DNA sequence: GCATTTGTTTTGAGTAATTCAAAACAATTC
DNA sequence: GAATTGTTTTGAATTACTCAAAACAAATGC
């Protein structure tokens, strides 16, 4: 039996992955295009990326791709519900593939790294304000701000 | 005894108010200037305003004032802790004088009106994520999104 | 397979919100 | 009332993003 090399394994994985990504596009009613697959792939590797970082990543694989195309892809993936856009104060918009759950984010005020966090109480208590003021509340967004572990160390020993 | 006219009452109030605003600037270690007083006054009347709206309001009273001055004023008031800046997704930054409590905001997705809301559970349960991931969490920001009462009516009877 | 339709991407330009820098100016301090 | 320090004006630049028209590619029907 022939052992698959690491390279062929990598290719096979990439191919399988491309198939899954293509499927997710198709089932969202979107055409399968190279820029869309590339953006989805980049977002899988680096969640919480901004449009520019994704452009850089995509551009390496697919040199023809324009920044506007990345914005266009992100917009269509967004409305199709395949990616989520978050906009922490003072930062350009960030994108992630984790959608459909009501998870929140924790942002380091020093290095701006972002991580996912689940809601404190498991279900969604903080998703209901004390007084809705007559609003029909559809969503709640929580952002925690603080210092990440590394930045705590860095500020302690400068 | 002479009844104060509405006008003198207004002036007296304005004067008293100017005194209070000036005091708050002084005790924050900031110089008392006309643009700063004007921005504070405008923010009192119209909380959740953006820089441009404040510029328009201030410019009426104090025609020399530039937009950059308003940005400068807001920056210094911000670092002095006299105003708070909020940045709801898809909107320019908004400012308010209500500081020091951990209140949150509810935003109408249709007309973008913003109101203050207190935390659901009174104390701060949603201010603690389930897993801090090693972060030293300093603040939590909650934004509720929905339709305000008026926009619910407007969309029901278009 | 190939033409058609429909949707996507490129190219190029434009805009909104905000920031930067130097000179002019005004509020506090001495 | 002069000196100091901080603020505002003026003018330009930057970042993040959007718009529009033409070129192009994916899916659909034949």
């Amino acid at each position: 039996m022939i052992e698959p090399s690491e390279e062929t394994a990598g290719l096979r994985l990439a191919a399988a992955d491309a198939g899954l990504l293509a499927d997710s596009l198709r089932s969202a009613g979107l055409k399968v295009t190279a820029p869309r697959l590339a953006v989805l792939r980049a977002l899988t590797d680096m969640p919480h990326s901004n449009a520019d970082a994704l452009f850089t990543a995509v551009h390496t694989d697919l040199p023809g791709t324009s920044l506007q195309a990345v914005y266009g892809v992100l917009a269509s993936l967004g409305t199709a519900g395949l990616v989520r856009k978050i906009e922490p104060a003072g930062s350009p918009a960030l994108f992630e593939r984790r959608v459909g759950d009501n998870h929140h984010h924790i942002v380091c005020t020093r290095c701006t790294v972002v991580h996912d966090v689940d809601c404190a109480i498991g279900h969604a208590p903080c998703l209901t304000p004390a007084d809705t003021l007559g609003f029909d509340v559809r969503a709640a967004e929580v952002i925690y701000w603080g210092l990440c572990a590394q930045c705590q160390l860095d500020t302690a020993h400068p």
Side-chain angles (χ1 to χ4, degrees), chain A:
Chain A
M1 184 190 176
I2 299 164
E3 284 292 314
S5 69
E6 260 191 38
E7 253 176 38
T8 44
L11 282 173
R12 203 182 300 145
L13 242 169
D17 201 42
L20 287 177
L21 295 178
D23 287 346
S24 69
L25 285 170
R26 264 187 285 269
S27 50
L30 293 174
K31 287 185 177 170
V32 178
T33 68
R36 284 178 179 169
L37 292 172
V39 167
L40 283 175
R41 215 176 297 119
L43 263 183
T44 308
D45 294 344
M46 17 188 275
H48 312 129
S49 293
N50 62 34
D52 211 59
L54 292 169
F55 168 65
T56 304
V58 165
H59 199 260
T60 314
D61 289 2
L62 212 61
T65 315
S66 67
L67 176 59
Q68 288 88 325
V70 172
Y71 275 107
V73 167
L74 290 170
S76 52
L77 296 180
T79 49
L82 294 180
V83 310
R84 179 174 160 194
K85 182 186 193 178
I86 60 170
E87 297 176 61
S91 153
L94 306 178
F95 299 85
E96 63 184 356
R97 289 193 62 201
R98 187 175 159 190
V99 292
D101 60 354
N102 74 330
H103 78 274
H104 302 309
H105 297 97
I106 187 164
V107 183
C108 180
T109 47
R110 189 163 170 276
C111 71
T112 74
V113 70
V114 178
H115 288 288
D116 292 332
V117 288
D118 292 301
C119 196
I121 323 274
H123 47 301
C126 57
L127 304 195
T128 309
D131 180 355
T132 63
L133 299 160
F135 274 66
D136 177 17
V137 178
R138 293 301 175 84
E141 215 187 324
V142 184
I143 297 191
Y144 301 99
W145 296 92
L147 277 183
C148 71
Q150 189 58 55
C151 285
Q152 287 173 57
L153 289 174
D154 291 355
T155 48
H157 312 287

